[in-house]
Amino acid sequence: MLCQHCQKNEATTHVKTVINGKTAEYRLCPECAHALGYDHMFPDLTADFGGILGSFLSAALPARSGATHCRLCGSTMNDIKKTGKVGCSECYDTFFSDLMPTIRSIHGNTEHIGKRPVIEYETSGDKQPEKDQADVGALRAELKKAIEEENFERAAELRDRIKEMEG
């Protein structure tokens, strides 16, 4: 579709405005969108997560007098504080004592424990997924044996338990 302003270039920007309850829609090329001020609608609103983390790290981390460098990427703790980005995986080992308290305060923990921690399984009475799968396998084997022995009442019970466990 052609730009509705210049009628020359391909339209890549879709503008929709509502003024006094009346809706107007425009399709503009990049040049016209820029000229009309539609290329950057929210100049003060940017998603600079590195900057956000950097400001948090700057406030939370102590100033270091010695400039230790990461042996792999060459980053210093001051670089990490400025950018909010850790240079490489080796930086976690090099700056461990400085990073871990901040990471713990941000995330609440420094170790990934999965979607449902073991404690949650224990308190809810549920079994952990790995154990559930092993139990279902054992029940399927028992179901097969019950069918072979023509013990259909037992087979029906086992079938129901398997369905219940698989949810």
Side-chain angles (χ1 to χ4, degrees):
M1 174 177 238
L2 288 178
C3 173
Q4 291 177 312
H5 186 72
C6 69
Q7 299 292 321
K8 295 178 185 174
N9 301 321
E10 186 70 24
T12 59
T13 302
H14 179 240
V15 179
K16 185 175 186 176
T17 60
V18 180
I19 300 173
N20 294 328
K22 294 185 179 184
T23 303
E25 294 187 45
Y26 307 98
R27 300 198 190 300
L28 305 170
C29 67
E31 293 81 17
C32 292
H34 178 72
L36 296 171
Y38 290 114
D39 59 338
H40 199 65
M41 293 296 295
F42 305 105
D44 297 331
L45 182 65
T46 57
D48 181 16
F49 296 111
I52 293 169
L53 185 58
S55 64
F56 184 80
L57 287 171
S58 295
L61 294 174
R64 293 179 60 101
S65 55
T68 302
H69 288 75
C70 174
R71 67 176 179 83
L72 211 60
C73 70
S75 293
T76 65
M77 194 62 215
N78 288 334
D79 295 336
I80 295 170
K81 286 167 62 174
K82 285 178 191 171
T83 64
K85 297 176 184 171
V86 178
C88 69
S89 61
E90 184 64 27
C91 288
Y92 287 100
D93 292 331
T94 305
F95 305 111
F96 182 85
S97 60
D98 293 323
L99 290 173
M100 284 307 117
T102 304
I103 292 171
R104 187 174 291 113
S105 69
I106 293 170
H107 294 288
N109 200 347
T110 57
E111 187 177 320
H112 179 69
I113 53 175
K115 288 184 178 181
R116 286 180 67 188
V118 174
I119 293 169
E120 186 176 327
Y121 285 107
E122 291 170 358
T123 59
S124 69
D126 291 345
K127 297 177 184 172
Q128 294 183 39
E130 299 83 23
K131 186 152 174 52
D132 283 349
Q133 291 172 355
D135 289 348
V136 168
L139 288 175
R140 286 187 192 280
E142 196 175 333
L143 173 64
K144 184 176 180 182
K145 184 178 176 185
I147 292 170
E148 288 171 359
E149 294 173 353
E150 297 182 5
N151 186 351
F152 299 116
E153 288 179 17
R154 177 74 178 141
E157 290 173 8
L158 292 169
R159 178 202 64 210
D160 294 343
R161 281 184 56 196
I162 291 170
K163 283 184 179 180
E164 183 180 306
M165 290 178 79
E166 288 179 335

